[in-house]
Amino acid sequence: MKRILKTAFALTMTALILALSCATAFAAKGDFTVNGANAKVGDKITYTLNLSDCTEKIEGLQMYVAYDSKYLKIDPESLDFPKLSGVVSNTELEDTIAFNWTDVQKTADFSKKGKLLTVDFEVVKEGDAEITYFVSELYGNDLTYLKSFTFTNDVAVNGKTVVKNASAIVCRDFKIIDEYQGSFTNYADAKGEKNGSGKDAIIGVTKPATVPGATEVTKDSGSNITTIITILVIAAIVIAIIIVAVLRRHFTKSEPDENK
């Protein structure tokens, strides 16, 4: 009897250990969180960036959406701009989607909430990640950046919306920010300075504009040019003096003496 009880106890404990191990492995496998949404490896994540509260109709924009390709694989064909036509976009950049648009004839009205962008990703690794946005330019008919706006985001997992109308997350990767900083001011609350807090501005280092193929002019270029001009003037004067001397010598030669 004791032997039977020991055997039964051992088998029970083994079964419990195996069950716990399998449960732990199953729970851990593919556990992933993005912008407050939980998913698993292989799931499809649909990110929607919304824009609202714009007091002006938009004539142009230049923006970026950043993600972590270690965890998310983009589906380039899914990228869509429901309210804009003729958008120029690039999904080939590292961890970044770049897009710009302008149309002075057919402006975009985002006074009420509208979908600015939607894009799908596949979860390829468990962990935590964020999908963020950054604006370089966003302007209306006065060509200055908008000061009243609200960015929000929705996140769907396998077609089911699990995060809706959450405050969109502004990119804080200064590798991206310094590269793409424009005249627009991004705030952490994803709103403008007139309808938001106007605090915690996220601003990168603005790079000076350059003309492709142009030769850089150094601080000493002015003095170099002056020196060259001076040398040329002196050379011209010397040549003129030589010419005058030769001509004078030619025309002042003594005439032959006729009495000889």
Side-chain angles (χ1 to χ4, degrees), residues 44-80:
K44 181 179 78 171
I45 301 294
T46 301
Y47 173 81
T48 301
L49 183 64
N50 307 302
L51 179 59
S52 62
D53 301 328
C54 295
T55 54
E56 300 177 47
K57 289 186 177 181
I58 297 174
E59 288 192 0
L61 58 82
Q62 181 174 333
M63 293 181 58
Y64 305 86
V65 169
Y67 62 97
D68 193 334
S69 58
K70 293 195 300 290
Y71 301 96
L72 295 167
K73 180 181 178 182
I74 188 173
D75 176 7
E77 298 299 322
S78 70
L79 183 61
D80 186 38

Side-chain angles (χ1 to χ4, degrees), residues 74-202:
I74 188 173
D75 176 7
E77 298 299 322
S78 70
L79 183 61
D80 186 38
F81 304 90
K83 294 192 66 173
L84 305 177
S85 59
V87 177
V88 177
S89 62
N90 186 355
T91 59
E92 300 298 321
L93 300 174
E94 182 180 0
D95 293 352
T96 308
I97 304 169
F99 59 97
N100 63 70
W101 168 87
T102 184
D103 193 333
V104 297
Q105 299 297 326
K106 190 177 180 181
T107 56
D109 186 355
F110 282 95
S111 56
K112 296 182 179 179
K113 178 183 172 182
K115 294 180 179 179
L116 179 62
L117 169 150
T118 63
V119 63
D120 294 339
F121 300 91
E122 179 188 350
V123 180
V124 295
K125 183 180 178 182
E126 63 271 16
D128 298 319
E130 287 183 335
I131 302 174
T132 63
Y133 80 94
F134 186 76
V135 183
S136 290
E137 306 291 344
L138 181 64
Y139 53 88
N141 56 17
D142 62 355
L143 299 182
T144 62
Y145 71 89
L146 265 66
K147 299 174 180 63
S148 179
F149 57 88
T150 300
F151 283 103
T152 59
N153 72 247
D154 304 332
V155 181
V157 180
N158 296 327
K160 182 180 179 180
T161 300
V162 294
V163 173
K164 189 172 181 64
N165 209 38
S167 180
I169 305 171
V170 184
C171 178
R172 288 183 178 270
D173 182 351
F174 277 89
K175 179 181 178 182
I176 293 174
I177 295 171
D178 288 344
E179 180 70 23
Y180 301 120
Q181 178 64 52
S183 63
F184 188 84
T185 303
N186 293 271
Y187 293 94
D189 62 2
K191 295 185 177 184
E193 58 194 58
K194 287 189 174 180
N195 68 320
S197 66
K199 298 178 180 179
D200 196 7
I202 303 171

Side-chain angles (χ1 to χ4, degrees), residues 236-251:
I237 292 172
V238 170
I239 292 172
I241 291 172
I242 293 172
I243 293 173
V244 170
V246 170
L247 291 174
R248 180 178 295 175
R249 183 177 179 183
H250 175 75
F251 287 107

Side-chain angles (χ1 to χ4, degrees), residues 207-220:
K207 295 183 177 181
T210 58
V211 179
T215 302
E216 182 179 359
V217 179
T218 63
K219 293 181 179 179
D220 295 329

